[in-house]
Amino acid sequence: MTISRREILKAGLAAGASLAIPSVLRAQTAPMDARTVHMVKAAGLSIFDPTVTTVNMTLDHGLAIYDTLFSLDSKFMPQPQMVGKWGVSDDKKTYTFGLRDGLNWHDGTPVTAADCVASIRRWGQVKPGGKFLMARASDISKKDEKTFTIVLKEPLGLLPTLLTQSLYVMREKDADTPATEAVTANIGSGPFTFNHALAKPGSSFAYDRNEKYVPRSEPSDGLAGGKIVKVDRVIWDLIGDQQTALAALQAGEIDYVELPPADFYPVIESDPNLTLQVLDASGQVYYLRMNCLQKPFDNVKARQAVLHLVNQEAYLSVISPDPKYSSTVTSFFGDGNPVSNDENTGWFKKGGDPEKAKQLLKEAGYAGEKVVILQPTDWAEGSNTSQVLAAELQKIGVNAELAASDWGGVAARRVNKGPVNEGGWSIFITTESNSSRGDPTATESLGASGEAGWFGWPKSAEYEALRAKWADVQTIEERKALASKMQQLAWDLAGTVFLGRVVSPIARRKTLTGLIGMPELVPMWNMEKA
């Protein structure tokens, strides 16, 4: 059976031949406030702590309400954000950071060095950049109310860059929460406050301009510079039906749709009030993760079977039929990044290689074990590609079945390391920034530390030993050589299998301007609404 995106969506498109039909949303909402922006994000928000997850919705939530010590500018260089003055000792082992003036929590109390130290220590337990730092640090402590130091066992030139990697600073009492337990207070020091009174889980969340936020004086530049909020409120509306979302965008009931289906692009481009805009030019890599702890994918040959099986063109035809927005990808380090390479990519064949996959499954001793694919029904691309994957696996004799839920359900279930008959899982599909795959210190899915690592839990001590050297190599040539060695091992390990790279423009009304384009994250400051 061949499943195409157009077949999956054709019923919806037929229904949407006239997009002037009244939407459910339209009948339920009052005219929008000109200072309020309505956004339809790619999926729902169910986890509110950006330290305990890599879900993009949660990271965007964190970007709104929390602040960061350093942030990347548009050239991906680290720039001070909460930090004012900072310096490093002559031996390059002691960094001293001073907080800038005007930093306060949303509850009115001042941000202190103790808050920063507690946040760094919690982040250091779970995030890859944090783990790199903690392995090199001999002491992290406050010196006074606004100053703290990080003392290293040996120099680490990447330290400011590491501090940009999903380190959201929380109040000390929140940051003292175990890193495996989500913080739910939603009290940050960032440019937006979380409006608890308007929170409607499963429907919408609201963020208000933090009137007491003191932005930096520098111009906005990527995620760095002055975070100036130019609207009063941003509301994330959860509209699971894409047709309804598009109709609401056309009607002016919402201002932004984060992930419009590619089939809708012609309709959007023909509407004089709407436009498509690429915020992440690097694009997203779609990939699947297998549970390396449970049968059948605890056997490396079973994982390699999936690597050889996948026909990337088939997935891309479902995700993004227009080839100008998509490409295949074979390097473990993404497509077109400085360290992308061709090492050990002989597994890639146009159309996939089902016969090789069958052979590897046989060598793995596959005996018909159930393979459960987590299918996120509120994320169309994830849902559709899950169906394609199930069909591909079934064709070669795998007992594959789909487990449907919303993305929140996927995020909750993928934590389970147990077998499928105890609520576990076998495969889930997700995406991440193609750009971020060029840095193994920043990207959790590029690790291979087993149960201490990211979902799927592939393990290779040899690979991890190479990854640990990343922070020490200085030149791009050295990093390319290291990346080639890592890729050789990564494709043999086969914990991750790519489905392709896609550049996905957002859709917005032309009255909404000032959106900042960066990989992965969508900041809400700087937006303006006419």
Side-chain angles (χ1 to χ4, degrees):
M1 178 175 62
T2 299
I3 302 173
S4 75
R5 179 185 186 82
R6 293 190 180 280
E7 286 172 328
I8 292 169
L9 294 177
K10 64 182 180 183
L13 284 172
S18 171
L19 295 177
I21 60 174
S23 72
V24 175
L25 182 70
R26 190 178 312 159
Q28 295 178 343
T29 49
M32 284 200 302
D33 187 313
R35 297 277 296 176
T36 297
V37 173
H38 284 257
M39 306 176 77
V40 175
K41 302 289 283 183
L45 177 66
S46 60
I47 302 171
F48 297 85
D49 183 344
T51 304
V52 302
T53 185
T54 55
V55 174
N56 281 12
M57 299 309 106
T58 305
L59 300 184
D60 284 349
H61 164 83
L63 202 62
I65 71 169
Y66 296 109
D67 214 342
T68 56
L69 295 173
F70 283 78
S71 295
L72 292 179
D73 64 20
S74 58
K75 296 181 176 62
F76 306 107
M77 296 300 295
Q79 303 295 344
Q81 185 53 241
M82 297 175 75
V83 167
K85 294 181 179 178
W86 66 285
V88 59
S89 61
D90 291 340
D91 65 0
K92 310 295 184 187
K93 293 183 180 179
T94 300
Y95 284 77
T96 301
F97 302 98
L99 295 175
R100 65 183 174 90
D101 294 332
L103 299 178
N104 291 288
W105 299 109
H106 298 160
D107 62 10
T109 58
V111 177
T112 69
D115 298 318
C116 301
V117 169
S119 296
I120 292 171
R121 287 176 174 163
R122 184 169 185 259
W123 164 80
Q125 296 176 48
V126 291
K127 296 294 186 182
K131 291 178 180 177
F132 261 100
L133 171 58
M134 298 308 286
R136 301 290 185 91
S138 60
D139 181 66
I140 302 173
S141 58
K142 78 167 190 177
K143 295 304 174 188
D144 58 39
E145 287 303 298
K146 295 182 65 173
T147 308
F148 65 96
T149 60
I150 297 177
V151 182
L152 303 167
K153 302 169 189 172
E154 53 189 304
L156 180 59
L158 280 178
L159 179 56
T161 299
L162 295 179
L163 296 177
T164 69
Q165 296 173 4
S166 299
L167 171 53
Y168 298 91
V169 176
M170 299 181 176
R171 297 179 300 181
E172 183 179 18
K173 62 182 179 181
D174 294 328
D176 283 342
T177 304
T180 54
E181 180 182 330
V183 171
T184 58
N186 290 313
I187 301 294
S189 64
F192 286 89
T193 61
F194 184 74
N195 191 321
H196 291 265
L198 293 183
K200 300 174 182 176
S203 178
S204 65
F205 294 102
Y207 300 84
D208 294 337
R209 179 166 59 89
N210 177 7
E211 296 180 354
K212 297 181 180 178
Y213 183 75
V214 179
R216 295 188 68 89
S217 59
E218 299 92 337
S220 177
D221 182 11
L223 301 178
K227 298 178 178 179
I228 299 175
V229 178
K230 300 178 180 178
V231 296
D232 293 336
R233 177 172 291 168
V234 178
I235 296 176
W236 291 3
D237 294 301
L238 180 60
I239 304 178
D241 180 77
Q242 295 168 325
Q243 194 73 55
T244 301
L246 179 56
L249 184 68
Q250 289 186 302
E253 297 162 348
I254 59 175
D255 303 288
Y256 167 106
V257 176
E258 190 153 280
L259 198 59
D263 304 80
F264 291 179
Y265 293 172
V267 176
I268 295 167
E269 289 174 320
S270 67
D271 189 317
N273 297 311
L274 307 182
T275 188
L276 295 169
Q277 180 178 359
V278 173
L279 296 180
D280 180 2
S282 174
Q284 293 278 313
V285 173
Y286 281 69
Y287 64 97
L288 64 84
R289 291 281 282 194
M290 289 170 276
N291 186 342
C292 301
L293 302 180
Q294 301 295 335
K295 289 183 180 299
F297 300 123
D298 59 339
N299 188 306
V300 68
K301 286 189 177 293
R303 301 197 299 270
Q304 290 172 351
V306 178
L307 179 66
H308 284 266
L309 173 67
V310 162
N311 172 9
Q312 291 193 26
E313 288 90 348
Y315 291 88
L316 291 173
S317 71
V318 167
I319 302 167
S320 184
D322 189 337
K324 76 180 179 182
Y325 288 115
S326 64
S327 64
T328 59
V329 54
T330 57
S331 175
F332 193 65
F333 296 93
D335 186 24
N337 288 317
V339 294
S340 300
N341 64 85
D342 296 326
E343 188 71 27
N344 195 17
T345 54
W347 51 267
F348 179 80
K349 285 189 177 181
K350 187 176 178 61
D353 191 347
E355 293 307 313
K356 180 67 174 180
K358 288 180 184 177
Q359 174 197 328
L360 288 165
L361 271 182
K362 184 177 180 180
E363 293 174 8
Y366 177 66
E369 295 92 348
K370 183 186 294 184
V371 167
V372 173
I373 303 167
L374 304 184
Q375 179 191 18
T377 53
D378 59 344
W379 173 35
E381 288 73 14
S383 179
N384 297 340
T385 48
S386 296
Q387 293 178 59
V388 176
L389 175 63
E392 272 197 314
L393 290 170
Q394 289 162 359
K395 282 181 182 176
I396 63 168
V398 174
N399 179 20
E401 65 178 45
L402 297 165
S405 72
D406 60 14
W407 176 258
V410 173
R413 187 167 176 177
R414 68 182 180 175
V415 175
N416 189 334
K417 297 178 180 176
V420 295
N421 60 2
E422 295 179 8
W425 56 277
S426 307
I427 299 176
F428 72 90
I429 290 172
T430 188
T431 71
E432 67 191 2
S433 166
N434 176 64
S435 176
S436 70
R437 288 205 68 89
D439 182 359
T441 69
T443 308
E444 289 172 296
S445 65
L446 268 69
S449 56
E451 294 193 54
W454 201 62
F455 311 109
W457 310 288
K459 186 173 184 178
S460 169
E462 187 178 1
Y463 175 91
E464 281 296 292
L466 293 174
R467 193 165 76 100
K469 296 180 180 178
W470 195 268
D472 297 320
V473 296
Q474 300 296 320
T475 68
I476 187 62
E477 289 75 20
E478 290 174 320
R479 287 191 174 154
K480 285 180 178 177
L482 185 58
S484 293
K485 294 178 182 176
M486 292 169 68
Q487 183 166 301
Q488 174 71 46
L489 297 171
W491 286 140
D492 286 344
L493 189 62
T496 295
V497 173
F498 288 157
L499 309 179
R501 183 183 75 92
V502 174
V503 174
S504 301
I506 61 101
R508 62 173 172 83
R509 293 191 65 79
K510 290 181 178 176
T511 50
L512 181 68
T513 59
L515 280 84
I516 296 172
M518 288 290 283
E520 204 104 50
L521 299 172
V522 181
M524 301 193 297
W525 59 85
N526 206 54
M527 287 193 306
E528 292 185 84
K529 185 175 175 183

